[in-house]
Coordinates of all heavy atoms in Angstrom, one line a residue:
M1 N 15.4 -2.6 22.0 CA 14.0 -2.5 21.5 C 13.4 -1.2 22.1 O 13.7 -0.9 23.3 CB 13.2 -3.7 22.0 CG 11.9 -3.8 21.4 SD 10.9 -5.3 21.8 CE 12.0 -6.6 21.3
K2 N 12.7 -0.4 21.3 CA 12.1 0.8 21.8 C 10.7 0.6 22.3 O 10.0 -0.3 21.8 CB 12.0 1.8 20.6 CG 13.4 2.3 20.2 CD 13.2 3.5 19.3 CE 14.6 4.1 19.0 NZ 14.5 5.4 18.3
N3 N 10.3 1.4 23.2 CA 8.9 1.4 23.7 C 8.1 2.5 23.0 O 8.7 3.6 22.7 CB 8.9 1.7 25.2 CG 9.4 0.6 26.0 OD1 9.3 -0.6 25.6 ND2 10.1 0.9 27.1
I4 N 6.9 2.2 22.7 CA 6.0 3.3 22.2 C 4.7 3.3 23.0 O 4.4 2.3 23.7 CB 5.6 3.0 20.7 CG1 4.9 1.7 20.5 CG2 6.8 3.0 19.8 CD1 4.3 1.5 19.2
T5 N 4.0 4.4 23.0 CA 2.8 4.6 23.7 C 1.6 4.7 22.7 O 1.7 5.4 21.8 CB 2.8 5.8 24.6 OG1 3.9 5.7 25.5 CG2 1.5 6.0 25.4
L6 N 0.6 3.9 22.9 CA -0.6 3.9 22.1 C -1.8 4.3 22.9 O -1.8 4.0 24.1 CB -0.9 2.5 21.5 CG 0.3 2.0 20.6 CD1 0.0 0.5 20.3 CD2 0.4 2.8 19.4
S7 N -2.8 4.9 22.3 CA -4.0 5.2 23.0 C -5.2 4.5 22.3 O -5.2 4.4 21.1 CB -4.3 6.7 22.9 OG -3.3 7.5 23.5
A8 N -6.0 3.9 23.1 CA -7.2 3.1 22.6 C -8.2 3.1 23.7 O -7.9 3.3 24.9 CB -6.8 1.7 22.2
D9 N -9.4 2.8 23.3 CA -10.6 2.6 24.2 C -10.3 1.5 25.2 O -9.8 0.5 24.9 CB -11.8 2.3 23.4 CG -13.0 2.2 24.3 OD1 -13.5 3.3 24.8 OD2 -13.5 1.1 24.5
D10 N -10.6 1.8 26.5 CA -10.3 0.8 27.6 C -11.0 -0.5 27.3 O -10.3 -1.6 27.5 CB -10.8 1.3 28.9 CG -9.9 2.5 29.5 OD1 -8.8 2.6 29.0 OD2 -10.4 3.2 30.4
A11 N -12.2 -0.5 26.9 CA -12.9 -1.8 26.6 C -12.3 -2.5 25.5 O -12.2 -3.8 25.5 CB -14.4 -1.5 26.3
L12 N -11.8 -1.8 24.5 CA -11.1 -2.5 23.3 C -9.8 -3.1 23.8 O -9.5 -4.3 23.4 CB -10.8 -1.5 22.2 CG -10.2 -2.0 21.0 CD1 -11.0 -3.0 20.3 CD2 -9.9 -0.8 20.0
I13 N -9.1 -2.4 24.6 CA -7.8 -3.0 25.1 C -8.1 -4.2 26.0 O -7.4 -5.2 25.8 CB -7.0 -1.9 26.0 CG1 -6.5 -0.8 25.1 CG2 -5.9 -2.6 26.7 CD1 -6.0 0.4 25.8
E14 N -9.0 -4.2 26.8 CA -9.4 -5.3 27.7 C -9.8 -6.5 26.8 O -9.5 -7.7 27.1 CB -10.4 -5.0 28.7 CG -9.8 -4.1 29.8 CD -8.5 -4.7 30.4 OE1 -8.5 -5.9 30.8 OE2 -7.6 -4.0 30.6
A15 N -10.6 -6.3 25.8 CA -11.1 -7.3 24.9 C -9.9 -7.9 24.2 O -9.8 -9.2 24.0 CB -12.1 -6.8 23.9
A16 N -9.0 -7.1 23.7 CA -7.8 -7.6 23.0 C -6.9 -8.4 24.0 O -6.4 -9.5 23.6 CB -7.0 -6.4 22.4
R17 N -6.8 -8.0 25.2 CA -6.0 -8.7 26.2 C -6.6 -10.1 26.5 O -5.9 -11.1 26.6 CB -5.8 -7.9 27.5 CG -4.8 -6.8 27.4 CD -4.6 -6.2 28.7 NE -3.5 -5.2 28.6 CZ -3.4 -4.1 29.3 NH1 -4.4 -3.8 30.2 NH2 -2.4 -3.3 29.2
A18 N -7.9 -10.1 26.6 CA -8.6 -11.3 26.8 C -8.4 -12.3 25.7 O -8.2 -13.5 25.9 CB -10.1 -11.1 27.1
R19 N -8.5 -11.8 24.5 CA -8.3 -12.7 23.3 C -6.8 -13.2 23.3 O -6.6 -14.4 23.0 CB -8.6 -12.0 22.0 CG -8.3 -12.8 20.8 CD -8.7 -12.2 19.5 NE -8.3 -13.0 18.4 CZ -8.5 -12.7 17.2 NH1 -9.1 -11.6 16.8 NH2 -8.0 -13.5 16.2
A20 N -5.9 -12.3 23.6 CA -4.5 -12.8 23.6 C -4.3 -13.8 24.7 O -3.6 -14.8 24.4 CB -3.6 -11.6 23.9
R21 N -4.9 -13.7 25.9 CA -4.7 -14.7 26.9 C -5.3 -16.0 26.4 O -4.7 -17.1 26.6 CB -5.5 -14.3 28.2 CG -4.6 -13.4 29.1 CD -5.3 -13.2 30.4 NE -6.6 -12.7 30.4 CZ -6.9 -11.4 30.4 NH1 -5.9 -10.5 30.4 NH2 -8.1 -10.9 30.3
A22 N -6.5 -16.0 25.8 CA -7.1 -17.2 25.2 C -6.2 -17.9 24.2 O -6.3 -19.1 24.1 CB -8.5 -16.8 24.7
E23 N -5.5 -17.1 23.5 CA -4.6 -17.6 22.5 C -3.2 -17.9 23.0 O -2.2 -18.2 22.3 CB -4.5 -16.7 21.3 CG -5.9 -16.6 20.6 CD -5.9 -15.6 19.4 OE1 -4.8 -14.9 19.2 OE2 -6.9 -15.5 18.8
R24 N -3.0 -17.8 24.3 CA -1.8 -18.0 25.0 C -0.6 -17.2 24.5 O 0.5 -17.7 24.2 CB -1.4 -19.5 25.0 CG -2.4 -20.3 25.8 CD -2.1 -21.7 25.8 NE -3.1 -22.4 26.6 CZ -3.0 -23.6 27.1 NH1 -1.9 -24.2 26.9 NH2 -4.0 -24.1 27.7
T25 N -0.9 -15.9 24.4 CA 0.1 -14.9 23.9 C -0.2 -13.7 24.7 O -0.9 -13.6 25.7 CB 0.0 -14.7 22.4 OG1 1.1 -13.9 22.0 CG2 -1.3 -14.1 21.9
T26 N 0.5 -12.6 24.3 CA 0.3 -11.3 24.9 C -0.1 -10.3 23.9 O 0.2 -10.4 22.7 CB 1.6 -10.8 25.6 OG1 2.6 -10.6 24.6 CG2 2.1 -11.8 26.7
L27 N -0.7 -9.2 24.4 CA -1.1 -8.1 23.5 C 0.2 -7.5 22.9 O 0.2 -7.2 21.7 CB -1.9 -7.1 24.3 CG -2.6 -6.0 23.5 CD1 -3.5 -6.6 22.4 CD2 -3.4 -5.2 24.4
N28 N 1.3 -7.4 23.6 CA 2.5 -6.9 23.2 C 3.1 -7.8 22.0 O 3.5 -7.2 21.0 CB 3.5 -6.9 24.3 CG 4.3 -5.7 24.4 OD1 4.0 -4.7 23.8 ND2 5.4 -5.7 25.2
A29 N 3.0 -9.1 22.2 CA 3.5 -10.0 21.1 C 2.7 -9.9 19.9 O 3.2 -9.9 18.8 CB 3.5 -11.4 21.6
E30 N 1.4 -9.8 20.0 CA 0.5 -9.6 18.9 C 0.7 -8.3 18.2 O 0.7 -8.2 16.9 CB -1.0 -9.8 19.3 CG -1.3 -11.2 19.7 CD -1.0 -12.2 18.5 OE1 -1.5 -11.9 17.4 OE2 -0.3 -13.1 18.8
F31 N 1.0 -7.2 18.9 CA 1.3 -6.0 18.3 C 2.6 -6.0 17.5 O 2.6 -5.5 16.4 CB 1.3 -4.8 19.3 CG 1.6 -3.5 18.7 CD1 0.7 -2.8 17.9 CD2 2.9 -3.0 18.8 CE1 1.1 -1.6 17.3 CE2 3.3 -1.8 18.2 CZ 2.3 -1.1 17.4
R32 N 3.6 -6.6 18.1 CA 4.9 -6.8 17.4 C 4.7 -7.5 16.0 O 5.3 -7.2 15.0 CB 5.9 -7.5 18.2 CG 6.6 -6.5 19.2 CD 7.8 -7.2 19.8 NE 7.9 -7.1 21.2 CZ 7.4 -7.9 22.1 NH1 6.8 -9.0 21.7 NH2 7.5 -7.7 23.4
R33 N 3.9 -8.6 16.1 CA 3.6 -9.4 14.9 C 2.9 -8.5 13.9 O 3.3 -8.5 12.7 CB 2.8 -10.6 15.2 CG 2.7 -11.6 14.1 CD 2.0 -12.9 14.5 NE 0.6 -12.7 15.0 CZ -0.4 -12.4 14.2 NH1 -0.3 -12.4 12.9 NH2 -1.6 -12.3 14.8
W34 N 1.9 -7.8 14.3 CA 1.1 -6.9 13.4 C 2.1 -5.9 12.8 O 2.0 -5.6 11.6 CB 0.0 -6.2 14.1 CG -0.7 -5.2 13.3 CD1 -1.6 -5.4 12.3 CD2 -0.4 -3.8 13.2 NE1 -2.0 -4.2 11.7 CE2 -1.2 -3.2 12.2 CE3 0.5 -3.0 13.9 CZ2 -1.2 -1.9 11.9 CZ3 0.6 -1.6 13.6 CH2 -0.3 -1.1 12.6
L35 N 2.9 -5.3 13.6 CA 3.8 -4.2 13.1 C 4.8 -4.7 12.1 O 5.0 -4.1 11.0 CB 4.6 -3.6 14.3 CG 5.4 -2.3 14.0 CD1 4.5 -1.2 13.6 CD2 6.1 -1.9 15.3
A36 N 5.3 -5.9 12.3 CA 6.2 -6.6 11.3 C 5.4 -6.8 10.0 O 6.0 -6.5 8.9 CB 6.8 -7.9 11.8
D37 N 4.2 -7.4 10.1 CA 3.4 -7.6 8.9 C 3.1 -6.3 8.1 O 3.2 -6.2 6.9 CB 2.1 -8.3 9.2 CG 2.3 -9.7 9.6 OD1 3.4 -10.3 9.4 OD2 1.4 -10.3 10.2
Y38 N 2.8 -5.3 8.9 CA 2.5 -4.0 8.3 C 3.7 -3.4 7.6 O 3.6 -2.9 6.5 CB 2.0 -3.0 9.4 CG 1.6 -1.7 9.0 CD1 0.3 -1.5 8.3 CD2 2.4 -0.6 9.1 CE1 -0.1 -0.2 7.9 CE2 2.0 0.7 8.7 CZ 0.8 0.9 8.1 OH 0.4 2.1 7.7
A39 N 4.8 -3.5 8.2 CA 6.1 -3.0 7.6 C 6.5 -3.7 6.3 O 7.0 -3.1 5.4 CB 7.2 -3.0 8.6
R40 N 6.1 -5.0 6.2 CA 6.5 -5.8 5.1 C 5.5 -5.8 4.0 O 5.7 -6.4 2.9 CB 6.7 -7.3 5.5 CG 8.0 -7.5 6.2 CD 8.3 -9.0 6.4 NE 7.2 -9.6 7.1 CZ 7.4 -10.0 8.4 NH1 8.5 -9.9 9.0 NH2 6.4 -10.6 9.0
R41 N 4.3 -5.2 4.2 CA 3.2 -5.3 3.2 C 3.6 -4.9 1.8 O 3.3 -5.6 0.8 CB 2.1 -4.4 3.7 CG 0.8 -4.7 3.0 CD -0.4 -4.0 3.6 NE -0.6 -4.5 4.9 CZ -1.3 -3.8 5.8 NH1 -1.8 -2.7 5.6 NH2 -1.5 -4.3 7.1
D42 N 4.4 -3.8 1.6 CA 4.8 -3.4 0.3 C 5.7 -4.4 -0.4 O 5.6 -4.7 -1.6 CB 5.4 -2.0 0.3 CG 4.5 -0.8 0.5 OD1 3.3 -1.0 0.2 OD2 4.9 0.2 0.9
Q43 N 6.6 -4.9 0.4 CA 7.5 -6.0 -0.1 C 6.7 -7.2 -0.6 O 7.0 -7.8 -1.6 CB 8.5 -6.3 0.9 CG 9.5 -7.4 0.5 CD 10.4 -7.9 1.6 OE1 10.5 -7.3 2.7 NE2 11.2 -8.9 1.3
Q44 N 5.8 -7.6 0.2 CA 4.9 -8.8 -0.1 C 4.1 -8.5 -1.4 O 4.0 -9.4 -2.2 CB 4.0 -9.1 1.1 CG 4.7 -9.7 2.3 CD 3.8 -9.8 3.5 OE1 2.9 -9.1 3.6 NE2 4.2 -10.7 4.4
L45 N 3.6 -7.3 -1.5 CA 2.9 -7.0 -2.7 C 3.8 -7.0 -4.0 O 3.4 -7.6 -5.0 CB 2.3 -5.6 -2.6 CG 1.5 -5.0 -3.8 CD1 0.3 -6.0 -4.1 CD2 1.0 -3.6 -3.5
Q46 N 5.0 -6.5 -3.8 CA 5.9 -6.5 -5.0 C 6.3 -7.9 -5.3 O 6.4 -8.3 -6.5 CB 7.2 -5.7 -4.6 CG 7.0 -4.2 -4.6 CD 8.2 -3.4 -4.1 OE1 9.2 -4.0 -3.8 NE2 8.0 -2.1 -4.1
E47 N 6.5 -8.8 -4.3 CA 6.8 -10.2 -4.6 C 5.7 -10.9 -5.3 O 5.9 -11.7 -6.2 CB 7.2 -10.9 -3.3 CG 8.5 -10.5 -2.7 CD 8.8 -11.0 -1.3 OE1 7.9 -11.7 -0.8 OE2 9.8 -10.7 -0.8
A48 N 4.4 -10.6 -4.9 CA 3.3 -11.2 -5.5 C 3.1 -10.8 -6.9 O 2.8 -11.6 -7.8 CB 2.0 -10.9 -4.7
R49 N 3.4 -9.5 -7.2 CA 3.3 -9.0 -8.5 C 4.4 -9.6 -9.4 O 4.1 -9.9 -10.6 CB 3.4 -7.5 -8.5 CG 2.2 -6.8 -8.1 CD 2.3 -5.3 -8.2 NE 1.0 -4.7 -7.9 CZ 0.9 -3.5 -7.4 NH1 1.9 -2.7 -7.2 NH2 -0.3 -3.0 -7.1
A50 N 5.5 -9.8 -8.9 CA 6.6 -10.5 -9.7 C 6.2 -11.9 -10.1 O 6.5 -12.3 -11.2 CB 7.9 -10.5 -8.8
V51 N 5.6 -12.6 -9.2 CA 5.1 -14.0 -9.5 C 4.0 -13.9 -10.6 O 4.1 -14.7 -11.5 CB 4.5 -14.7 -8.2 CG1 3.8 -16.0 -8.6 CG2 5.7 -15.0 -7.2
L52 N 3.1 -13.0 -10.5 CA 2.1 -12.8 -11.5 C 2.7 -12.5 -12.8 O 2.2 -13.0 -13.9 CB 1.0 -11.8 -11.1 CG 0.1 -12.2 -9.9 CD1 -0.8 -11.0 -9.5 CD2 -0.7 -13.4 -10.3
D53 N 3.6 -11.6 -12.8 CA 4.3 -11.2 -14.1 C 5.0 -12.4 -14.7 O 5.0 -12.6 -15.9 CB 5.3 -10.1 -13.9 CG 4.7 -8.8 -13.6 OD1 3.4 -8.6 -13.9 OD2 5.3 -7.8 -13.1
E54 N 5.6 -13.2 -13.9 CA 6.3 -14.4 -14.3 C 5.3 -15.4 -14.9 O 5.6 -16.1 -16.0 CB 7.1 -15.1 -13.2 CG 7.9 -16.3 -13.6 CD 8.7 -16.9 -12.4 OE1 9.1 -16.1 -11.5 OE2 8.8 -18.1 -12.4
L55 N 4.2 -15.6 -14.3 CA 3.2 -16.5 -14.8 C 2.4 -16.0 -16.0 O 1.8 -16.8 -16.8 CB 2.2 -16.9 -13.7 CG 2.8 -17.6 -12.5 CD1 1.7 -17.8 -11.4 CD2 3.3 -19.0 -13.0
R56 N 2.3 -14.7 -16.2 CA 1.6 -14.1 -17.3 C 2.1 -14.7 -18.6 O 3.3 -14.8 -18.9 CB 1.7 -12.6 -17.3 CG 0.8 -11.9 -18.3 CD 0.7 -10.4 -18.0 NE -0.2 -10.2 -16.9 CZ 0.2 -9.5 -15.8 NH1 1.4 -9.0 -15.7 NH2 -0.7 -9.4 -14.8
G57 N 1.2 -15.2 -19.4 CA 1.5 -15.7 -20.7 C 1.8 -17.2 -20.6 O 1.9 -17.8 -21.7
K58 N 2.0 -17.8 -19.4 CA 2.3 -19.2 -19.3 C 1.0 -20.0 -19.3 O 1.0 -21.2 -19.6 CB 3.1 -19.5 -18.1 CG 4.5 -19.0 -18.2 CD 5.3 -19.4 -17.0 CE 6.8 -18.9 -17.2 NZ 7.6 -19.3 -16.1
L59 N -0.1 -19.4 -19.0 CA -1.4 -20.1 -18.9 C -2.0 -20.1 -20.3 O -2.1 -19.0 -20.9 CB -2.4 -19.5 -17.9 CG -1.9 -19.6 -16.5 CD1 -2.9 -18.8 -15.6 CD2 -1.8 -21.0 -16.0
R60 N -2.4 -21.2 -20.8 CA -2.9 -21.3 -22.2 C -4.4 -21.8 -22.1 O -4.7 -22.7 -21.4 CB -2.1 -22.3 -23.0 CG -0.6 -22.0 -23.0 CD -0.2 -21.5 -24.4 NE 1.3 -21.3 -24.4 CZ 1.9 -20.2 -24.3 NH1 1.2 -19.1 -24.1 NH2 3.2 -20.1 -24.4
T61 N -5.2 -21.1 -22.9 CA -6.6 -21.5 -23.0 C -6.9 -22.2 -24.3 O -8.1 -22.5 -24.5 CB -7.5 -20.3 -22.8 OG1 -7.3 -19.4 -23.9 CG2 -7.3 -19.6 -21.5
G62 N -5.9 -22.4 -25.1 CA -6.2 -23.1 -26.4 C -6.9 -22.1 -27.4 O -7.5 -22.6 -28.3
G63 N -6.8 -20.8 -27.1 CA -7.4 -19.9 -28.1 C -8.9 -19.8 -28.0 O -9.5 -19.2 -28.8
R64 N -9.5 -20.3 -26.9 CA -10.9 -20.3 -26.8 C -11.3 -19.7 -25.4 O -10.5 -19.7 -24.5 CB -11.6 -21.6 -27.0 CG -11.2 -22.6 -25.9 CD -11.9 -23.9 -26.0 NE -11.6 -24.9 -25.0 CZ -12.2 -24.9 -23.8 NH1 -13.2 -24.1 -23.5 NH2 -11.8 -25.8 -22.9
K65 N -12.5 -19.3 -25.3 CA -13.0 -18.8 -24.0 C -13.7 -20.0 -23.3 O -14.3 -20.9 -23.9 CB -14.1 -17.7 -24.2 CG -13.5 -16.4 -24.7 CD -14.5 -15.3 -24.7 CE -13.9 -14.0 -25.1 NZ -14.8 -12.9 -24.9
F66 N -13.5 -20.0 -22.0 CA -14.1 -21.0 -21.2 C -15.6 -20.7 -21.0 O -16.1 -19.6 -21.0 CB -13.5 -21.1 -19.8 CG -12.1 -21.6 -19.8 CD1 -11.0 -20.8 -19.5 CD2 -11.9 -23.0 -20.0 CE1 -9.8 -21.3 -19.5 CE2 -10.6 -23.5 -20.0 CZ -9.5 -22.7 -19.8
T67 N -16.4 -21.8 -20.9 CA -17.8 -21.6 -20.7 C -18.0 -21.3 -19.2 O -17.1 -21.6 -18.4 CB -18.6 -22.9 -21.0 OG1 -18.2 -23.9 -20.1 CG2 -18.4 -23.3 -22.4
R68 N -19.2 -20.9 -18.8 CA -19.5 -20.6 -17.4 C -19.3 -21.8 -16.6 O -18.7 -21.8 -15.5 CB -20.9 -20.0 -17.3 CG -21.3 -20.0 -15.8 CD -22.7 -19.3 -15.7 NE -22.3 -17.9 -15.4 CZ -23.2 -17.0 -15.2 NH1 -24.4 -17.2 -15.3 NH2 -22.8 -15.8 -14.8
E69 N -19.7 -22.9 -17.1 CA -19.6 -24.2 -16.3 C -18.2 -24.6 -16.1 O -17.8 -25.1 -15.1 CB -20.4 -25.3 -17.1 CG -21.9 -25.2 -17.0 CD -22.4 -24.2 -18.1 OE1 -21.7 -23.8 -19.0 OE2 -23.5 -23.7 -17.8
E70 N -17.4 -24.4 -17.2 CA -15.9 -24.7 -17.1 C -15.2 -23.9 -16.0 O -14.4 -24.3 -15.3 CB -15.2 -24.6 -18.4 CG -15.6 -25.7 -19.4 CD -15.1 -25.4 -20.8 OE1 -15.0 -24.2 -21.2 OE2 -14.7 -26.4 -21.4
M71 N -15.6 -22.6 -16.0 CA -14.9 -21.7 -15.1 C -15.4 -22.0 -13.6 O -14.6 -21.7 -12.7 CB -15.3 -20.2 -15.4 CG -14.6 -19.8 -16.7 SD -14.7 -18.0 -16.9 CE -16.4 -17.8 -17.2
N72 N -16.5 -22.6 -13.4 CA -17.0 -22.8 -12.1 C -16.8 -24.2 -11.6 O -17.2 -24.6 -10.5 CB -18.5 -22.5 -12.0 CG -18.8 -21.0 -12.1 OD1 -18.1 -20.2 -11.5 ND2 -19.8 -20.6 -12.8
E73 N -16.1 -25.1 -12.5 CA -15.8 -26.4 -12.0 C -14.8 -26.4 -10.9 O -14.0 -25.6 -10.8 CB -15.2 -27.2 -13.2 CG -16.2 -27.7 -14.2 CD -15.5 -28.5 -15.3 OE1 -14.3 -28.7 -15.3 OE2 -16.2 -28.8 -16.3
R74 N -15.0 -27.4 -10.0 CA -14.0 -27.5 -8.9 C -13.3 -28.8 -8.9 O -13.6 -29.8 -9.3 CB -14.8 -27.4 -7.6 CG -15.4 -26.1 -7.5 CD -16.0 -25.9 -6.1 NE -16.7 -24.6 -6.1 CZ -16.5 -23.6 -5.3 NH1 -15.5 -23.7 -4.4 NH2 -17.1 -22.5 -5.3

């Protein structure tokens, strides 16, 4: 595993460390998690687009437009 050096405001670092302690983790662990998410973002976007492409055309509206009330039903 490689080490890297980051620069940030002291108050920001201390606030982040405090939050990490409250969540029973470390700032290092949280940064590693963020870095992994950041590196996978393009792959996740491509996967989401593939799902949308697969679903495209499978939803049917019966050839009509929904009313405002229908679109807002829960």
Side-chain angles (χ1 to χ4, degrees):
M1 193 175 302
K2 289 191 175 194
N3 289 326
I4 61 172
T5 301
L6 301 171
S7 299
D9 182 71
D10 288 342
L12 182 61
I13 292 171
E14 286 310 312
R17 282 185 175 149
R19 179 176 173 180
R21 274 192 302 273
E23 296 176 357
R24 297 182 179 199
T25 186
T26 64
L27 193 52
N28 224 14
E30 288 303 304
F31 177 73
R32 278 195 226 91
R33 188 175 60 79
W34 172 84
L35 190 61
D37 289 344
Y38 183 76
R40 286 192 298 256
R41 195 172 296 159
D42 284 341
Q43 179 185 351
Q44 290 169 334
L45 179 60
Q46 288 174 359
E47 289 170 0
R49 284 184 175 154
V51 169
L52 289 174
D53 288 344
E54 185 180 324
L55 292 175
R56 189 166 282 125
K58 290 186 178 181
L59 297 175
R60 306 251 186 257
T61 62
R64 67 177 179 84
K65 290 189 175 186
F66 289 109
T67 66
R68 170 174 261 181
E69 291 77 21
E70 288 172 324
M71 289 190 294
N72 290 319
E73 282 181 4
R74 294 189 186 241

